Amino acid sequence: MFRHTQQTQYNCAPDQPDALYAMKLQELIGGAYGEMTVALQYLFQGWNTRIPGKYKDLIMDTATEELGHVEMISIMIARLLEGAPAEQTSAAAAANPALAAVLGGQNPQHAIVAGGGAVLADSAGYPWNGKYIVASGNLMADFMANAGAEAQGRLQTARLYNMTDDKGVRDMLRFNLARDTCHQQQWLAAIEMLKADGLETLPVPSAFGTDTEYTEHSNEIWGLSDGTAGPGALSKTSVDGTLEFEYLLDPQPLGPIPDVPAADPLLYATVDGGSRSVAGGTAPASGSGGLLEKAKEALTGAEPGTHTKAGGKNES
Amino acid sequence: MFRHTQQTQYNCAPDQPDALYAMKLQELIGGAYGEMTVALQYLFQGWNTRIPGKYKDLIMDTATEELGHVEMISIMIARLLEGAPAEQTSAAAAANPALAAVLGGQNPQHAIVAGGGAVLADSAGYPWNGKYIVASGNLMADFMANAGAEAQGRLQTARLYNMTDDKGVRDMLRFNLARDTCHQQQWLAAIEMLKADGLETLPVPSAFGTDTEYTEHSNEIWGLSDGTAGPGALSKTSVDGTLEFEYLLDPQPLGPIPDVPAADPLLYATVDGGSRSVAGGTAPASGSGGLLEKAKEALTGAEPGTHTKAGGKNES
Amino acid sequence: MFRHTQQTQYNCAPDQPDALYAMKLQELIGGAYGEMTVALQYLFQGWNTRIPGKYKDLIMDTATEELGHVEMISIMIARLLEGAPAEQTSAAAAANPALAAVLGGQNPQHAIVAGGGAVLADSAGYPWNGKYIVASGNLMADFMANAGAEAQGRLQTARLYNMTDDKGVRDMLRFNLARDTCHQQQWLAAIEMLKADGLETLPVPSAFGTDTEYTEHSNEIWGLSDGTAGPGALSKTSVDGTLEFEYLLDPQPLGPIPDVPAADPLLYATVDGGSRSVAGGTAPASGSGGLLEKAKEALTGAEPGTHTKAGGKNES
Amino acid sequence: MFRHTQQTQYNCAPDQPDALYAMKLQELIGGAYGEMTVALQYLFQGWNTRIPGKYKDLIMDTATEELGHVEMISIMIARLLEGAPAEQTSAAAAANPALAAVLGGQNPQHAIVAGGGAVLADSAGYPWNGKYIVASGNLMADFMANAGAEAQGRLQTARLYNMTDDKGVRDMLRFNLARDTCHQQQWLAAIEMLKADGLETLPVPSAFGTDTEYTEHSNEIWGLSDGTAGPGALSKTSVDGTLEFEYLLDPQPLGPIPDVPAADPLLYATVDGGSRSVAGGTAPASGSGGLLEKAKEALTGAEPGTHTKAGGKNES
Amino acid sequence: MFRHTQQTQYNCAPDQPDALYAMKLQELIGGAYGEMTVALQYLFQGWNTRIPGKYKDLIMDTATEELGHVEMISIMIARLLEGAPAEQTSAAAAANPALAAVLGGQNPQHAIVAGGGAVLADSAGYPWNGKYIVASGNLMADFMANAGAEAQGRLQTARLYNMTDDKGVRDMLRFNLARDTCHQQQWLAAIEMLKADGLETLPVPSAFGTDTEYTEHSNEIWGLSDGTAGPGALSKTSVDGTLEFEYLLDPQPLGPIPDVPAADPLLYATVDGGSRSVAGGTAPASGSGGLLEKAKEALTGAEPGTHTKAGGKNES
Amino acid sequence: MFRHTQQTQYNCAPDQPDALYAMKLQELIGGAYGEMTVALQYLFQGWNTRIPGKYKDLIMDTATEELGHVEMISIMIARLLEGAPAEQTSAAAAANPALAAVLGGQNPQHAIVAGGGAVLADSAGYPWNGKYIVASGNLMADFMANAGAEAQGRLQTARLYNMTDDKGVRDMLRFNLARDTCHQQQWLAAIEMLKADGLETLPVPSAFGTDTEYTEHSNEIWGLSDGTAGPGALSKTSVDGTLEFEYLLDPQPLGPIPDVPAADPLLYATVDGGSRSVAGGTAPASGSGGLLEKAKEALTGAEPGTHTKAGGKNES
């Protein structure tokens, strides 16, 4: 359960309104790496965590803080929108390039839809959506995603910092940048903690192991673009010392030229020798060696077929 | 420029059709962490790279390979769909639970839209979209995203591996798992290479530095959820040794209770003392201390205002 | 079945072209509360109505009218786009702030994609989509949504009215505003009609009743934000007189601290004591107390389990 | 700023796992009228409110509570997914219709993507997005939307209640139904409070008034569908007594047959008399009566044009 | 303006309910090539047409008819959903494979969201959206799109026809198939009419001509995949006789190896020689040869640069 | 499998940066008819093709080329973005209308998200998505879609050509226009080839035939809009000579006034005579003539019902 205090975590007051900057700042609310993404990503990770205690606590602490960041930036945007032109202004714009820029560049939905408040969208007006978050149940995979998200977030905040010289806006962003630094470091530390606690190691998921995969292909850099770097482009050895990278200079495909089986005639896909005429009115009798039989056999596993596959070998 | 060989990089032939599994395997084509995501993410990163040579080569090599993975899985799905029921089947289903599962669970668009082929969507039928990729221009931030994406990708592939016992499908997935392992390790190695080459370090973006941010907040874990972990939940020191984490057990907000300025009356937002009556027909005269003036002043920076902000201090 | 007359319901001719305003007016075609939303929302409600006669007639009358509003605004936009710059114009813009605003602000797809016509998107260029409409089968719930949609629609139209002084545009909007007023009132009247006819009352759905829900929680305002309003913030009694509101000043959670059961090892979620090593190649034998058994039991309802729940009580 | 307690607001523990029901329950997390919608809708309304005190408090109280509902349902779903089949199961399904239903119907992303946890999507697997929320700055318009959302929410919860007989699930839903009842009533009461406080009345936005609109069309029901209801379908008078409805039995269009002006030749739209040949290489000289001039004139308002419009009259 | 008659254009009554088929039939309402797409595509084409008379009439006639098809299919779906299970059913499913298929496969939103009616989504539950339609202003380009859309539509309808043997459903589809045939033929005839009327010819847009493009590349089939077809794969001559196709067996790239200019240091993209340290606090002085100057020069066209380009030649 | 050469297919270097044009050019990367659409559309068509040889080769050749077009335009955009303002610029804009246009009009995500590179979105900032492509398995239907897509693509490229006078940009577009011409002609030639090879003819899908559909409705133009064109609007005969079009001047609906059956009481849809009270707690006993029985009967086809349908006749 959540509680809310009307005080914000930090200041969020601009010195002056700036409708153009309000539009840009939306990236930190509704962008793929904005505050809404990290807030909800961490919440779903926390709710999906099987380990009570320090990992879950760290996730829920950070998630709850990020909700407060969405709040700070939303209020900042409402304040930046004070006095944004809501009336007919073309005559005024004709005499004022700076106003023209605002008229051209502001997010029209700030006025028309939100009445001077923030929207849940990014700087291009595209709405935030639930596909931006990841909560896989595997903490290592998710902490890697988290560290990456905080890096993108701090990068975007740094760019936005340079796009204004409003002291009030910069005051808030200096706080946010510090928090991004902390969270970036924190998730990297949490990754090491997972290793130290024996809960996960590389490659993720470590419980699957590498026995099953074709390890002879686990270290190959396939040189499929004709850059000249070749061997030596990377360190010889992976960070954890488990792999020796190998650079394939002229890799050849291991699979055959595939064909795709003729589709069900009732789907009217084009096939060799002309499309078989199967008018809609006459469905093939089921039960007589037709498609249903085939599906049934496949599902019951009755006949494994004659295909034989060998690990790492070509199809034929 | 690209070239294509009709041979696939590796085998992609199932032993038997399985329409239900085809639906699940779509996650590896059109999911947020499927092959299309990594293929296009790496392509846009490569095209946006300012450094010719080893980094660009590594990115373009891997991008080009991933296009071939989309191909393998698309062909695999078309083959898995062979014989999927395309006719009226309720009578047959009534006698066959396994067929009932297929009828209920298969992606109907495999038949209706794609005529027995793959679609560019995930296992829930949601189409792939361009917001899944990131190419920020900052290689460290992007390589962190890449390593994270490969971890999620290998995790999903491992889960899908267990959902079938078809030897042909597993043959392909064993190859894919090995490639995911390689790429996961490769991007982690590339991160170290960036550091060794002096191109980037933590926190990203390192060229912004930490001088500007409020460093007194860069190491604080705000304990905003009431878990009991507290201090010691993380290592004391960040992985790179630059921060000593501090756990705030009862953090207090640093900002004041915010208010939002009264909006432009022409936006008809509700304000104290009743909404001012501003009929549509009578727009306020521009130029007489109205909103336009305010916006104009803000943009020309004429009056910096009287607000003073101090780093880390409350607004008022 | 529909019929169309080439005459529009009302005038839709601007006095002059205005590409910037055309972009803004898109909100009334493709926005979440634009004419397309109400047109299709009412159509689907009408087609899903179980009551022939006055309710269905009212819905279908209004739906059909709204289609004509989409038409009026689409034609208005095509006319506003007359003469929008389609050639290279940076030199001209350098001497003309008003033109600069147009160049910066117009929707580029009006020219590139639609060749000077309207698009099916909102003022931020985001396409209209089918999730904007609701047709639940319950007329009270839907009429409440309709009244709300007409209120948002009239609000947006009023805002847009102030953003132009083109007499032709305002002529059309004056008509549209009147229709929004009518429809806002009409759905509120229809809600009262449903009550008077004994078809539905509050809370929706009234046929479910309130016997089943925990009525001891039906009147509580949980004070989870620290504003000072407290008791008296609302009237004591609900509009229909069925509830006495109670304001909880310091509400405590009623649930316990939850844990989440350890996931299937084949999903490789992180669990306490280290992730159990479950290589992909060796699936757990089904039938021996494994997951399948569990699912099967759950579905057949064989074992109701030992959990006991009491309404309104804590879990444990 | 927010705080979180690990206790949930109410119980959220099922008696038994049920993967099919978990899929359906997603509607209450990520559906257009699910808990995420109301939580974020109320938060953005609160942050955009210009009136400190009771209205803002009520909004923020309710918003904060709804975040806790997302939490309860997310944890419920993770628990319902315990033991969902993660391995190859077609042989087992062949013998078990109930298992077949689960295999066919469960959301595959619950296993593949979320590792046994909830996703931020609805019951059809479509992700939640920011267009579901509305925060217009006008409290009456927004409270109408809120009451409507709570009505749809209670309706969907009631339907979901009937789709299970798990006592633990029903225990949670009984609590949620009560909260939906409370919030439905609360927003209706708040609408009356706005009227009583003189802040807003009908039609929204009341500050715009009805003087400007063509009031002769504010009371007409246009009979554009051939249902037989006609006059008397509605009460004669609007709920607030300001309008006498009039039913037009055979309404005629008020506008003329519109034409659309010939587009810029550089857009290659098809026009009468053959498309004018305007090769790409030779752009029309700007400055010579071309399009730029036209746009410039339009923007500077130099020539108001000769069109005259009269309210409620035809164009020509 | 539109009018509606409550009679449907044709019958839309199934013999029996079938919730699974209702889910599939959604493709014809909300799919990319469903009736909503063609209805709205034609409407926007009609409203954007510059030629009054036969072309506009044909478009508006067909658009209006397609609205009636959305109606027929929506009502058909509501009827197919009669009796779909809305209560707890796992025990019943355990004994009934056909019911299990329904439980697994039906669109859960048909019950939970729409209360037994159609939704505006496709057979995978993905909502219809405005990007499905095209109305470019160029009638030839649009009629080609229309003919293609009708072909996909008839193909999908034919597939759906085979998936049921309900006589009532088939009765409606037989009518729809006939209309798809008519419209497919009609748009192809309209393309010929455009040519005969001298309004447009190939390649679209013909008013642009082919003088400007590099005609030496207008007839080349670049053999970039290693299939063996080579010359002769196509007819030698284009359908309109204006091109002689040429098959390039081993085409070489015409462009150089590109590099991308070093980005603005304030964007913190990774560049050679280490990322330049540009802390946020110290923005480069504008006006001193910085980026602003560069942009200004570029826009005013002051310095055309020293790059020379020759048609069909390499960059350097 | 794919290979990549770092040389681009053709030049892609602008003479000068132009951030505004970069925003517009995004339409050719991420628009519905941009290069990404045709690249992936052709790839999925190729992978789904059942006919090895010339058709598949032609598709894969073209698909592979289009990938190289995405590359060219992405690099062009990165170069056009060189020097786009990344710092605070309102003072400068106040003195410079051209700069004001850039500030207002540029895509803010080019700087904030992509660090000076292209994004996978269109000119309005909307991301590319997988619903833009079609690969139906039926080659005629798909080649019609392809020819239409190339026509829209060439139209948009021609429009964009006129929006710049940068020689380097125009150099690239002249090449692209030629390729669009070639592909437009090529798909039309391939359609004729399919006919000549006897694989498909009109109407698509020809294997379904026209026997089943109600051919008496296959030639009717329903005059549902009141345009005056009437008979003679089209040629009398279809292009392939199989149909004689007939224009219905005053077509009457063939279907009855439909009603929709009363929904399941547990869905709480509004029905005549008041909504039946069905509290959540008391589910109707299954097995006693309830809904389950009905669904079961429907699925087993036990009772065909008494409805009789006649082709082309009214329902009743």
Side-chain angles (χ1 to χ4, degrees), chain A residues 72-102:
Chain A
M72 285 161 60
I73 299 175
S74 295
I75 293 171
M76 174 64 85
I77 285 177
R79 288 164 160 183
L80 284 166
L81 289 171
E82 192 189 352
E87 69 257 47
Q88 203 280 337
T89 47
S90 50
N96 185 341
L99 183 60
V102 172

Side-chain angles (χ1 to χ4, degrees), chain A residues 11 61 171 214 247 313 315, chain B residues 11 61 171 214 247 313:
Chain A
N11 303 329
D61 281 340
D171 180 44
Y214 294 146
Y247 199 99
K313 300 279 167 52
E315 273 182 26
Chain B
N11 303 330
D61 281 340
D171 180 44
Y214 295 146
Y247 199 100
K313 300 277 168 53

Side-chain angles (χ1 to χ4, degrees), chain B residues 1 22 38 147 168 176 199 223 228 267 316:
Chain B
M1 194 176 81
V38 285
N176 290 351
L199 293 178
T228 54
L267 294 179
S316 54

Side-chain angles (χ1 to χ4, degrees), chain A residues 6-13 15-17 33 54 57 60-61 65 75 79 82-83 86 89 96 98-99 102 111 115 122 126 131-132 134 136 138 141-142 144 147 152 154-155 158-159 161 171 174-175 177-179 181-182 184-186 188 192-193 202-205 208-209 212-214 217-218 220-225 227-229 233-234 238-240 242-243 247 253-256 258-259 261 264 266-267 291-292 294 296 298-299 303 307 309-310 312-315, chain B residues 6-13 15-17 33 54 57 60-61 65 75 79 82-83 86-87 89 92 96 98-99 102 111 122 126 131-132 134 136 138 141-142 144 147 152 154-155 158-159 161 171 174-175 177-179 181-182 184-186 188 193 202-205 208-209 212-214 217-218 220-225 227-229 233-234 238-240 242-243 247 253-256 258-259 261 264 267 291-292 294 296 298-299 303 307 309-315:
Chain A
Q6 303 231 18
Q7 277 185 275
T8 51
Q9 190 190 13
Y10 191 74
N11 303 329
C12 49
D15 287 346
Q16 298 190 68
Y33 293 101
K54 65 181 180 182
D57 291 352
M60 293 306 297
D61 281 340
E65 182 186 355
I75 293 171
R79 288 164 160 183
E82 192 189 352
T89 47
N96 185 341
L99 183 60
V102 172
D122 63 21
Y126 184 75
K131 289 288 184 191
Y132 288 161
V134 62
S136 72
N138 183 293
D142 287 356
M144 290 171 76
Q152 297 284 344
R154 189 173 184 272
L155 177 61
R159 287 167 176 167
Y161 182 90
D171 180 44
R174 278 177 181 157
F175 181 77
L177 283 158
R179 305 307 299 141
T181 293
C182 181
Q184 210 178 120
Q185 296 278 16
Q186 156 192 318
L188 292 173
E192 297 309 313
M193 196 160 65
L202 292 179
V204 173
F208 184 85
T212 310
E213 72 193 43
Y214 294 146
H217 299 300
S218 295
E220 299 167 345
I221 314 289
W222 284 53
L224 291 166
S225 182
T228 53
L234 278 181
S238 69
V239 176
D240 63 355
T242 61
L243 286 183
Y247 199 99
L254 301 173
D259 54 3
D264 182 342
L266 290 174
L267 294 178
L291 298 166
L292 272 176
K294 208 160 188 179
K296 200 165 109 184
L299 283 158
E303 290 162 53
H307 252 302
K309 298 266 158 335
K313 300 279 167 52
N314 281 11
E315 273 182 26
Chain B
Q6 304 232 15
Q7 278 185 274
T8 50
Q9 190 190 11
Y10 192 74
N11 303 330
C12 48
D15 286 347
Q16 296 191 71
Y33 292 102
K54 65 182 178 181
D57 291 352
M60 294 305 298
D61 281 340
E65 182 186 355
I75 293 171
R79 287 163 160 182
E82 193 189 350
E87 69 257 46
T89 46
N96 185 341
L99 183 61
V102 173
D122 64 21
Y126 184 74
K131 289 287 183 190
Y132 289 161
V134 62
S136 72
N138 183 292
D142 288 355
M144 289 170 77
Q152 297 284 345
R154 190 173 183 272
L155 177 61
R159 287 167 176 168
Y161 182 89
D171 180 44
R174 278 177 180 159
F175 181 78
L177 284 158
R179 304 308 297 143
T181 293
C182 181
Q184 209 179 119
Q185 296 278 15
Q186 156 192 318
L188 292 173
M193 194 161 67
L202 292 178
V204 173
F208 184 85
T212 309
E213 72 193 41
Y214 295 146
H217 299 299
S218 295
E220 299 168 344
I221 313 288
W222 284 53
L224 292 165
S225 181
T228 54
L234 277 181
S238 70
V239 177
D240 64 355
T242 62
L243 287 182
Y247 199 100
L254 302 173
D259 54 3
D264 183 343
L267 294 179
L291 298 166
L292 271 177
K294 207 160 190 177
K296 200 165 109 184
L299 283 159
E303 290 160 54
H307 251 303
K309 298 264 157 337
K313 300 277 168 53
N314 280 14
E315 274 181 27

Side-chain angles (χ1 to χ4, degrees), chain E residues 11-276:
Chain E
N11 303 329
C12 48
D15 286 346
Q16 298 191 68
D18 184 344
L20 260 189
Y21 193 75
M23 176 268 287
K24 291 176 188 158
L25 201 53
Q26 284 284 152
E27 193 67 32
L28 296 192
I29 290 184
Y33 293 102
E35 304 287 359
M36 187 61 79
T37 293
V38 286
L40 293 177
Q41 177 160 307
Y42 302 162
L43 283 177
F44 276 79
Q45 286 176 12
W47 295 328
N48 195 16
T49 293
R50 269 70 183 177
I51 315 187
K54 65 181 178 183
Y55 290 105
K56 184 169 187 177
D57 292 351
L58 184 66
I59 296 170
M60 293 306 296
D61 282 340
T62 316
T64 309
E65 182 186 355
E66 303 288 10
L67 283 174
H69 292 188
V70 181
E71 181 179 58
M72 285 161 61
I73 299 174
S74 295
I75 293 170
M76 174 64 85
I77 285 177
R79 287 163 160 183
L80 284 166
L81 289 172
E82 192 188 351
E87 69 257 47
Q88 206 279 337
T89 45
S90 48
N96 185 342
L99 182 61
V102 172
L103 287 176
Q106 68 186 338
N107 182 337
Q109 297 194 320
H110 274 158
I112 302 171
V113 175
V119 291
L120 185 35
D122 63 21
S123 63
Y126 184 75
W128 190 91
N129 75 77
K131 290 287 183 190
Y132 288 160
I133 72 170
V134 62
S136 72
N138 184 291
L139 291 186
M140 178 81 92
D142 288 355
F143 290 170
M144 289 170 77
N146 296 356
E150 295 283 353
Q152 297 284 344
R154 188 173 185 273
L155 177 61
Q156 295 180 2
T157 305
R159 287 167 176 167
L160 281 160
Y161 182 90
N162 294 314
M163 293 177 185
T164 183
D165 55 12
D166 183 290
K167 287 198 197 67
V169 175
R170 286 191 156 194
D171 180 44
M172 179 188 76
L173 294 180
R174 276 177 182 159
F175 180 78
N176 290 351
L177 283 158
R179 304 308 297 143
D180 288 339
T181 293
C182 180
H183 294 154
Q184 210 178 121
Q185 297 277 16
Q186 157 192 318
W187 298 123
L188 292 172
I191 287 171
E192 297 309 312
M193 194 162 66
L194 283 171
K195 291 182 194 167
D197 290 345
L199 293 177
E200 187 77 44
T201 180
L202 291 179
V204 172
S206 53
F208 183 85
T210 52
D211 305 346
T212 310
E213 72 192 43
Y214 294 147
T215 48
E216 64 270 36
H217 300 299
S218 295
N219 65 332
E220 299 166 346
I221 314 287
W222 285 52
L224 292 166
S225 181
D226 63 1
T228 55
L234 277 181
S235 61
K236 271 188 89 123
T237 311
S238 69
V239 177
D240 63 355
T242 62
L243 286 182
E244 297 290 311
F245 292 117
E246 184 184 353
Y247 199 100
L248 306 188
L249 285 174
D250 183 24
Q252 296 303 312
L254 301 172
I257 297 178
D259 55 4
V260 173
D264 183 344
L266 290 174
L267 294 179
Y268 310 105
T270 312
V271 289
D272 249 342
S275 62
R276 277 165 282 174

Side-chain angles (χ1 to χ4, degrees), chain E residues 7 9-12 61 136 154 159 171 179 184 204 213-214 217 220 233 247 254-255 312-313 315, chain F residues 7 9-12 61 136 154 159 171 179 184 204 213-214 217 220 225 247 254-255 312-313 315:
Chain E
Q7 278 185 274
Q9 191 189 13
Y10 191 73
N11 303 329
C12 48
D61 282 340
S136 72
R154 188 173 185 273
R159 287 167 176 167
D171 180 44
R179 304 308 297 143
Q184 210 178 121
V204 172
E213 72 192 43
Y214 294 147
H217 300 299
E220 299 166 346
Y247 199 100
L254 301 172
K313 299 277 168 53
E315 275 181 25
Chain F
Q7 277 185 273
Q9 191 190 14
Y10 191 73
N11 303 329
C12 48
D61 281 341
S136 72
R154 190 174 182 272
R159 287 167 177 169
D171 180 44
R179 303 309 298 144
Q184 210 176 120
V204 172
E213 73 192 42
Y214 294 146
H217 299 298
E220 300 166 345
S225 181
Y247 198 100
L254 302 173
K313 300 276 168 52
E315 273 180 28

